Amino acid sequence: MGVKERSTADAAVVGSGPNGLAAAVTLARAGLSVELFEAAEEIGGGTQTREEILPGHFHDVCSAVHPMAVASPFFQAFELSQRVDFFTPDISFATPLDSPAGSGHSALAYRSLDRTVADLGIDDAAYGKLLRPLVEHLDGLLDLSLNQLIRVPKDPSTAAAFAAATLRQGTGFWNVGFREDLAPALLTGAAAHANTQQPSLTSAGAGLMLAALGHAAGWPIPQGGSASIAQAMAQDFRAHGGVIHAGRRVESLSELSHTRAVLLDVAPPAFAKMADGRLDAKYERQLEIFRFGNGACKVDFILNGPVPWQDSRLANAGTVHVGGTRAQMAAAENEIARGKHPAQPYVLISQPSTFDSTRAPEGSHVLWSYCHVPAGSTVDMTEVITAQIERFAPGFRDVVVHSKVRTAAGLQAHNSNYVGGDFGAGLMDLRGLIQRPVISLVPWRTPLAGVYLCSASTPPGPGVTGMPGFHAAKYALKDIFGLEVPNLATNSGSAQPCDQP
């Protein structure tokens, strides 16, 4: 399609991140003609995997580990686990602590809650009491977490248990009931994914959900990298007649004026620009005041051996939260909230080649890491991240062969949806959960007829869940076409042959 050509499909999707792809799959499965437009030459958005440094060494560009890959209602309906092979480590995540004895001391979150509790010493009962109601009622927790919050939950008792746990862990009383460092460090390592101050209700809620997923289903790593998820979705989309235009930037909604429904997997500022002044003043003002969070500085490593963790058990963890005790991690995150770069940051690490031999040649390993930084930061945190890993893995520097940094400013340059380097697409506080990007019972709808927003700036927010796209597509099908949500299972529907590559 030439730049001046206009789409005449039933529906168009702009942006091929996991949410855009989820919307495209859902619409195409319903029998509509759908075109997907991606500004980059490669589809996938936050689920790209590339040879970032050397040939044969595959690093995930953004997301790397996928707690929602088998838990998200969209991915369950899509049967993603039958389309992509996953490695699910026995240790979902872990947090190393300083050990004066030199033998290593870590908190480990196993897929088994019972095994985790048995390893937490005198805080075993307190941790189990906090997590067990969520692990045992995961469906109710996901119903609450992966939908618009302004609604009546389907499982009120689980919602109440989650609210109580969040209040306990999201306030200054978060250490009540804990007497050692292991359990609190485990919880804060998961909570700090939210990239906001500690403690806070939003970070506590996010951390509890991630921890419950870790104990109930694990934190899977897709074989071949996160791109495998995007490829599976794109393959299904094309098999049902969908057409993908990579390297095709949509600058204005006028380019899609002959399309009945338009779904936008873009950040609010991009939507406002594409609308060309057609939005009403009140809605446009809400987009203008939508707030983004702090950024991240991402560092990819190539190693000539595994990370030499002081605690050898960490080699079996898919994800490691490096930052020390709860107090140390909280101090680092709160420095960032004040606009500072911490000397000892919280560092999130994934070591995929430990489980997936396709990610690096024999004898080599790839390591994925990032730390949080103030929004828009241009500071290279490679040395700081290296020192923080070395703190818990003496000799780490000796196994590093190459590294590549992408600062917060570099993340935005790579993907304009990551405003200020915020790949969560919006500040994660209470206001940011309810006003995402506007306060509405159906925030995916926009004032423009047939136009829907489906990025992570809409509920349920960040994470590779596909749910913002699925929600938006559900309403587009109902509002514009009078159709129900189609069956998304692997063997359902009538796939049509497609000549697209």
Side-chain angles (χ1 to χ4, degrees), residues 22 44 117 125 154 192 202 208 286 292 321 330 340 383 390 408 415 420:
V117 166
K154 291 182 178 179
T202 49
L208 288 165
Q286 288 182 292
F292 290 89
H321 301 134
K340 299 180 180 180
E383 173 54 33
E390 179 92 11
N415 188 327

Side-chain angles (χ1 to χ4, degrees), residues 12 325 381 387 453:
T325 65
M381 298 290 282
L453 196 60

